[in-house]
Amino acid sequence: MMKHTVFLTFFIALTGLSAHAAGYDDKAMQVKEIRLSNGLTVWINEDHSLPKVFGAVVVKAGAADCPNTGIAHYFEHMMFKGTDKIGTVDYEKERPWLDSISAKYDLLAQTADETTRRQIQADINRLGAKATEYAIPNEFSNLVSRYGGSGLNAATSLDYTVYYNTFLPQYVDQWASLNSERLVSPVFRLFQSELETVYEEKNMYSDNVLMSAYERVMENFFSGTPYAYPIIGSTESLKNPRLSEMQGFYDRYYVAGNMALILAGDVCADSIKPLLERTFGRIRAGEAPARSEFTPVSLASQPEVRLRIPYPIVKGELMAFRTPPHGHADEAALDIAVRLLTNNFGSGKLDSISNNGGALMATAMTAALKDAGITFVAGVPSLPFGSRKKLMRRCMEQVDKVKNGDFGDSDLQALKMEAGRELKRKLEDADKRGWMMVEAYGNGEDSWAEYLVREQAVENVSRDDVMRVARKYFNNEYMDFVKKYGSYPSDKVSQPGYKPMPAKNITAQSAYAAMLDSMGHKDVEPRIIDFDRDASRISLGRMAELYAVKNNVNDVFTLQLIYHKGKVADPRLGVLESYIDALGTDSLTSQQLRRALQNVGSTLGFSAGNNSFTISMQGFERNLEPSLRLLAHFLSSVKPDKKQMSELKRAWRLNDMAFVKDNSSIAKAALSKIVYGDKSAYLNRVSVGDVKKMKPEELVSLFDSLQNVQLSVVYCGSRDAASVGQEVSRLLPVDKASELYTDTYKPLMQYDAPTVYILDNPKARQTVVATYTPLAPLPDPNGRTCLQLWSRYFGGDMSSVMFQDLRELCSFAYYAYGTAELPSPVLHADAPVGFTTMMGTQADKTMDAVATLDSLFACMPVRDKNMSDARRSMLNGINNSYPSFRSIGQTIALYRAQGYKADPDAALAESLKTVTDEDVYDYYNKNVKGRPYILIIVGDKSKLDMQKLSKYGKITELKLEEIYRM
């Protein structure tokens, strides 16, 4: 999912930008490239600014290497199941059962008769139960957590697969051992349950109406190529997996010469190679075969493709052009050509159409895959009578201007600088650099240094280059996609009737785990934010403060004006967020404003949160003063615009259309209604009817009134705090505040009896099940820690009870998690607390999933090892989520506004030392076990057994209007 934010711009000739980009910090540029003896590529970026490491393994094998089979994605899931040493109590005894299961799956794939298939599936289930007698579910993820890891995950793309997490540097030996072992000898255990999980994932995607449209775009545009097929594979492939094919995929692609190890953070690049040789050097040598070349179908004279999207009234069109793959010599010039059409300043030629109220959306985007590229121009005309054809004609007229060189030199230079600034931001901390390295290697780069040279090639792009590539690629050969009202039929994947796997060894430990325990490591206290040292704090007036953090990495500044009032206090701020972004001032049109900010290299954005409204600016340090002047002008002189207000009203209606089509969004609204009652954000939102009644002047007046609210100014740059404070006080209206931070506390609802709430959504393939348990107040810090630790143990991550029992053993859910609902301990320590859960399950599994969750609440399994891992996971999270230098000022400002005198994680870390496992179990037994809870089910009611559901409480049906204000 991507969220696109349109930024604003301003006055025409304040200061121009030079064509060169300022030098990058050495730390950001230096990546040590190592080749191990087996041919494995290693890229290491050494950065000791924070005590954590981002580690990843990238394999150049994705969905395009096994088109429409889903094998690459299957394999990614199976890489969490362990090896012949991890995840088993006795592999030699387990192996014959696994071999028999593999043979049965091959037989299943060859069998069409349904009666015979059901018999084979029953055999697989029986054999799986035998194999599970030796399996230790989730041991790999448990060990990662035990040894300093957090954020463990993986992702499969069309071109590559990546396995990653963040870890504490003192556990680098254990991390290297674990992550190399999983690549040396993976074992495909618990395959049956994981296959059901993949079904759930496909169901989840199928309930996203835009995902189906996206798949049709790829299918048609890339017809004749491996990119035409979905990553997850076809339903037919899902029903007929072959473990032998998965083994073949591993043998073919998971070789040292086809993968890279990425490390970014607190490691020593000069001394780590011997450890990597001992661990990752064991991976089987070899080079993967080159991907077969393909020739896409010609787009010339292709018929128009109709995309079915179930939004009435809305029109839309997408013109897709074939553009070069990643690393092509034309890539930099094409990037600038697209930026001339759509950019973060909002000053592009297509942006101007939207800015002037001529469309709901007019945009261009480009994507370069390893072997092909796609660039599209898309438009959504104004509702309800805007002309799609006229809009697209206007869009292509703007494209022609780029082709003909109808753009200023200042625009060209500014957009090149924008690209340079974006690159600097990507390179400025270890996590971002780590992900850049992942994407670079995964997309076919053989050298980080050469990749950076190509990334910086945009500096040398000329006007002629832009015109040349625009003429070359925006030609008459394109594919036209036009929105049509309707939906695509859903594939049917029914529950095969598998019985849950036994949990015999869920608390066991392998010999390999014991070996890791014997490795030496040094326990280090998690890093805690220091409010006084980590950001300079200066008073700017009655209720305004500056938080300044030094940027020693590059010449990019960021500035945030955080007004401590959000959507909870005034829901209209959510409307303002969308509206203010499109306005100009009393002396500058919206487009002039955007171009002026472009000329000084700065962007402007607006964000409405629950507790605050933030105006964000970023730009180059040398242009801080003119950027602040532009911001000051906007703050004092913003002008209402009737045309933009009309477009906003239409867009608000479109948001409602999207909401009612998304089952997960409906479920979140239903849960919010149960937890907060009439104070639910979904019921207190501004409705379409409310927006229709609004006048432009009302929203501008609301924007003006924000300047009277308690303010935190957060700056990150190379200047000292005192000088920045003087500049901000001199140029911005920071001394007007008279309204203190608005407390946004919403009391949690209390219930006397268990109740079942059902919201019928017959078109949903996946049912969302949620629960809410009201709990007594916890004024004592240790009591709150007990709830937080129990919440992590019961529903927090891959080691949690919910994940293991509902997903791993029973295959009832793709996601399953629980969250503690804790009001502020500073402002509302004596208020009731609560606990919520949520899971997504295939409709015909709903009753089994509900019954299993109920049994976990009633008789929670006690697994001391998992409780220990949950404790360690919480400590890891404190350290590994420590903010980067760019965001630490904002973190401190928001904490202080809510009354915190110190980082709340400090108290949590101390409390975790004194709260025992028995304290946590005792909390569950006294406060959760046997306590009535509220059950919420959103999905196809016809799949539910009402008689069975009635045992969980009185059944009440919810209507959409009861949970969401339309």
Side-chain angles (χ1 to χ4, degrees):
M1 297 282 289
M2 292 186 295
K3 181 180 179 182
H4 302 289
T5 304
V6 181
F7 294 89
L8 300 177
T9 42
F10 180 25
F11 285 81
I12 302 219
L14 258 179
T15 179
L17 295 176
S18 56
H20 73 282
Y24 299 100
D25 180 80
D26 285 344
K27 180 173 61 180
M29 295 290 288
Q30 291 178 355
V31 169
K32 186 166 187 176
E33 301 181 31
I34 300 173
R35 187 63 64 91
L36 299 184
S37 57
N38 59 353
L40 181 77
T41 296
V42 183
W43 288 356
I44 305 175
N45 174 249
E46 187 172 340
D47 181 351
H48 301 288
S49 60
L50 292 176
K52 63 180 182 178
V53 185
F54 171 83
V57 174
V58 190
V59 184
K60 290 181 182 177
D65 296 292
C66 50
N68 214 27
T69 66
I71 287 178
H73 179 250
Y74 275 141
F75 192 84
E76 172 222 308
H77 278 247
M78 296 311 298
M79 284 289 282
F80 289 84
K81 302 305 177 186
T83 70
D84 57 353
K85 298 181 180 67
I86 303 171
T88 183
V89 294
D90 191 331
Y91 181 64
E92 290 307 312
K93 292 181 179 178
E94 179 190 24
R95 182 174 183 173
W97 298 106
L98 295 177
D99 290 343
S100 298
I101 291 169
S102 178
K104 288 291 183 181
Y105 270 112
D106 283 355
L107 181 61
L108 182 69
Q110 302 168 18
T111 305
D113 179 71
E114 280 303 316
T115 301
T116 306
R117 285 180 64 85
R118 283 193 293 271
Q119 180 58 53
I120 296 172
Q121 288 171 336
D123 290 343
I124 290 172
N125 194 220
R126 176 180 56 80
L127 294 168
K130 289 290 186 180
T132 306
E133 291 182 7
Y134 304 97
I136 307 174
N138 297 109
E139 186 174 45
F140 178 83
S141 57
N142 292 347
L143 291 173
V144 167
S145 180
R146 188 180 306 173
Y147 296 108
S150 63
L152 176 67
N153 215 327
T156 305
S157 74
L158 288 165
D159 290 317
Y160 63 90
T161 305
V162 56
Y163 305 89
Y164 61 92
N165 75 281
T166 301
F167 64 95
L168 300 177
Q170 63 265 33
Y171 294 110
V172 65
D173 286 19
Q174 288 90 342
W175 187 90
S177 296
L178 271 168
N179 282 275
S180 59
E181 185 67 30
R182 81 193 298 199
L183 294 162
V184 171
S185 54
V187 170
F188 307 147
R189 62 173 56 88
L190 300 174
F191 183 78
Q192 167 193 309
S193 60
E194 199 61 30
L195 179 59
E196 288 292 294
T197 298
V198 174
Y199 289 168
E200 293 293 350
E201 188 173 0
K202 188 172 182 67
N203 289 332
M204 183 176 67
Y205 291 144
S206 296
D207 280 342
N208 184 324
V209 296
L210 295 181
M211 180 62 73
S212 296
Y214 161 78
E215 289 181 353
R216 266 59 181 194
V217 170
M218 297 294 285
E219 176 186 347
N220 285 275
F221 185 83
F222 287 113
S223 177
T225 81
Y227 292 145
Y229 304 101
I231 290 171
I232 203 166
S234 68
T235 299
E236 192 61 27
S237 295
L238 288 174
K239 291 178 178 178
N240 296 287
R242 292 175 184 256
L243 281 168
S244 58
E245 288 183 356
M246 191 171 296
Q247 182 65 49
F249 184 81
Y250 166 74
D251 292 340
R252 186 179 179 89
Y253 292 105
Y254 278 66
V255 291
N258 195 47
M259 61 178 71
L261 169 63
I262 307 294
L263 294 171
D266 194 6
V267 291
C268 183
D270 291 332
S271 61
I272 200 173
K273 186 175 180 181
L275 168 64
L276 301 183
E277 283 285 6
R278 292 195 306 271
T279 53
F280 287 93
R282 299 177 300 137
I283 294 172
R284 181 167 45 96
E287 297 288 334
R291 186 181 296 173
S292 300
E293 293 187 8
F294 55 77
T295 303
V297 297
S298 171
L299 301 181
S301 304
Q302 285 285 341
E304 179 180 276
V305 179
R306 295 279 175 157
L307 293 180
R308 299 183 194 174
I309 301 176
Y311 298 168
I313 305 174
V314 180
K315 305 167 189 173
E317 185 171 349
L318 184 151
M319 299 171 67
F321 299 85
R322 185 154 286 138
T323 46
H326 176 85
H328 191 278
D330 288 342
E331 195 172 10
L334 178 64
D335 175 56
I336 297 299
V338 172
R339 288 176 189 266
L340 283 164
L341 296 170
T342 305
N343 57 58
N344 286 336
F345 300 110
S347 63
K349 295 182 180 300
L350 295 182
D351 296 329
S352 66
I353 297 175
S354 300
N355 296 343
N356 294 326
L360 276 180
M361 182 189 74
T363 191
M365 288 189 68
T366 185
L369 300 169
K370 188 159 69 174
D371 294 326
I374 179 173
T375 300
F376 65 78
V377 175
V380 178
S382 299
L383 301 177
F385 303 118
S387 169
R388 170 181 58 81
K389 291 183 178 180
K390 287 182 179 179
L391 172 59
M392 295 310 294
R393 187 159 55 245
R394 289 183 64 192
C395 288
M396 294 313 297
E397 287 170 357
Q398 300 306 313
V399 173
D400 287 341
K401 290 181 180 180
V402 176
K403 293 163 70 173
N404 296 328
D406 186 5
F407 51 87
D409 288 337
S410 61
D411 294 333
L412 178 61
Q413 300 304 332
L415 293 173
K416 289 162 62 175
M417 293 299 289
E418 178 195 25
R421 188 187 66 234
E422 289 178 1
L423 180 58
K424 292 180 182 187
R425 289 297 307 272
K426 289 180 183 177
L427 289 167
E428 72 182 14
D429 66 56
D431 285 342
K432 293 176 182 176
R433 289 193 291 274
W435 276 111
M436 277 193 75
M437 289 188 279
V438 165
E439 292 168 6
Y441 183 83
N443 283 318
E445 300 287 351
D446 294 321
S447 164
W448 172 254
E450 292 176 7
Y451 166 70
L452 276 186
V453 168
R454 274 195 288 276
E455 283 291 300
Q456 296 172 58
V458 70
E459 297 175 14
N460 301 316
V461 171
S462 68
R463 170 185 292 275
D464 288 342
D465 292 331
V466 175
M467 294 167 60
R468 176 182 58 80
V469 299
R471 290 170 179 168
K472 180 177 180 181
Y473 298 109
F474 292 117
N475 51 37
N476 292 325
E477 188 173 349
Y478 61 87
M479 186 167 282
D480 205 12
F481 297 90
V482 177
K483 181 261 177 182
K484 174 185 178 182
Y485 179 76
S487 300
Y488 292 99
S490 297
D491 293 333
K492 302 297 183 183
V493 183
S494 299
Q495 180 182 187
Y498 288 143
K499 294 179 181 178
M501 295 292 102
K504 181 178 178 180
N505 300 311
I506 206 161
T507 60
Q509 177 172 284
S510 66
Y512 186 87
M515 181 274 294
L516 287 182
D517 284 341
S518 67
M519 286 186 179
H521 66 271
K522 178 183 177 183
D523 285 330
V524 178
E525 292 292 312
R527 184 166 178 180
I528 303 297
I529 300 172
D530 188 315
F531 284 9
D532 296 320
R533 287 190 315 174
D534 290 337
S536 299
R537 180 183 172 207
I538 297 175
S539 174
L540 299 177
R542 288 170 294 175
M543 295 183 186
E545 292 181 315
L546 170 70
Y547 294 86
V549 177
K550 199 76 172 193
N551 170 12
N552 296 315
V553 176
N554 54 41
D555 62 345
V556 177
F557 80 85
T558 51
L559 185 87
Q560 294 169 304
L561 303 184
I562 304 174
Y563 296 98
H564 295 287
K565 185 176 184 178
K567 291 184 291 186
V568 173
D570 191 338
R572 295 178 302 163
L573 292 172
V575 185
L576 179 65
E577 173 188 15
S578 300
Y579 181 60
I580 200 72
D581 197 34
L583 300 185
T585 70
D586 57 6
S587 60
L588 296 165
T589 65
S590 173
Q591 196 67 8
Q592 287 173 329
L593 180 60
R594 295 161 189 269
R595 292 183 65 81
L597 276 171
Q598 174 183 289
N599 285 343
V600 297
S602 293
T603 59
L604 193 62
F606 305 86
S607 174
N610 287 331
N611 305 312
S612 60
F613 189 97
T614 303
I615 302 173
S616 302
M617 172 175 273
Q618 69 170 305
F620 293 99
E621 195 68 54
R622 61 186 177 276
N623 288 332
L624 176 62
E625 181 179 346
S627 299
L628 291 178
R629 290 187 182 277
L630 300 179
L631 176 55
H633 175 68
F634 184 76
L635 289 171
S636 64
S637 307
V638 65
K639 182 181 178 181
D641 187 315
K642 291 183 179 179
K643 187 178 289 187
Q644 288 296 339
M645 191 70 197
S646 297
E647 290 299 331
L648 174 66
K649 293 174 181 179
R650 295 169 185 136
W652 214 252
R653 186 179 181 187
L654 184 58
N655 288 340
D656 278 3
M657 293 181 193
F659 175 85
V660 300
K661 300 295 182 182
D662 184 32
N663 199 54
S664 63
S665 295
I666 295 171
K668 289 174 184 176
L671 179 59
S672 182
K673 161 69 176 177
I674 299 308
V675 175
Y676 297 111
D678 292 340
K679 292 188 179 294
S680 164
Y682 295 91
L683 290 172
N684 287 278
R685 66 183 294 274
V686 178
S687 69
V688 172
D690 293 333
V691 175
K692 285 181 178 179
K693 295 173 185 176
M694 284 183 177
K695 302 294 184 187
E697 293 76 14
E698 177 186 349
L699 289 176
V700 170
S701 176
L702 177 62
F703 184 67
D704 290 340
S705 71
L706 270 178
Q707 297 174 45
N708 299 320
V709 174
Q710 181 182 348
L711 171 67
S712 294
V713 180
V714 179
Y715 163 81
C716 182
S718 58
R719 305 191 188 198
D720 64 89
S723 65
V724 172
Q726 291 173 358
E727 286 285 88
V728 169
S729 295
R730 181 170 64 89
L731 297 173
L732 299 182
V734 296
D735 59 349
K736 298 167 59 176
S738 59
E739 182 182 336
L740 280 170
Y741 165 77
T742 305
D743 183 15
T744 55
Y745 170 64
K746 296 185 293 186
L748 300 180
M749 294 291 291
Q750 301 300 301
Y751 297 89
D752 296 326
T755 308
V756 179
Y757 289 94
I758 297 172
L759 196 151
D760 186 24
N761 186 6
K763 292 185 178 180
R765 286 187 57 180
Q766 190 174 66
T767 298
V768 180
V769 176
T771 67
Y772 168 56
T773 308
L775 299 169
L778 291 170
D780 175 59
N782 282 354
R784 296 173 75 89
T785 300
C786 281
L787 173 56
Q788 288 173 277
L789 185 49
W790 175 78
S791 172
R792 179 68 64 98
Y793 170 79
F794 191 83
D797 54 25
M798 293 183 187
S799 301
S800 71
V801 169
M802 285 185 67
F803 190 91
Q804 290 189 334
D805 290 64
L806 285 162
R807 172 171 160 155
E808 297 295 276
L809 298 176
C810 298
S811 307
F812 288 154
Y814 176 66
Y815 61 87
Y817 60 88
T819 306
E821 303 293 336
L822 285 164
S824 166
V826 176
L827 301 175
H828 304 284
D830 294 325
V833 300
F835 180 70
T836 61
T837 70
M838 186 170 281
M839 62 177 168
T841 183
Q842 192 168 300
D844 55 5
K845 298 180 183 177
T846 304
M847 297 309 303
D848 289 334
V850 169
T852 302
L853 179 59
D854 180 70
S855 70
L856 296 177
F857 273 125
C859 190
M860 182 186 75
V862 174
R863 300 163 184 164
D864 291 343
K865 180 170 65 69
N866 289 32
M867 182 64 75
S868 175
D869 291 340
R871 186 186 302 272
R872 171 49 60 187
S873 177
M874 289 180 70
L875 290 169
N876 295 344
I878 291 172
N879 189 86
N880 295 342
S881 62
Y882 185 90
S884 68
F885 75 90
R886 186 70 75 179
S887 58
I888 197 167
Q890 179 189 29
T891 303
I892 295 173
L894 291 173
Y895 273 143
R896 280 195 179 276
Q898 296 170 52
Y900 288 96
K901 304 299 182 184
D903 184 352
D905 281 342
L908 176 60
E910 284 300 312
S911 183
L912 282 169
K913 295 177 182 178
T914 58
V915 168
T916 67
D917 293 359
E918 288 305 315
D919 292 333
V920 179
Y921 297 137
D922 188 55
Y923 176 81
Y924 157 74
N925 285 316
K926 291 180 178 178
N927 296 277
V928 181
K929 185 175 183 178
R931 190 178 186 92
Y933 63 85
I934 307 301
L935 177 64
I936 306 107
I937 301 176
V938 179
D940 187 352
K941 180 183 171 183
S942 68
K943 302 290 186 180
L944 304 177
D945 186 324
M946 293 299 171
Q947 185 175 355
K948 287 184 179 179
L949 278 179
S950 64
K951 78 174 188 177
Y952 301 110
K954 179 183 177 182
I955 296 176
T956 301
E957 289 209 41
L958 286 172
K959 300 297 182 185
L960 192 60
E961 57 269 23
E962 294 179 272
I963 65 167
Y964 184 79
R965 190 161 182 258
M966 301 289 287

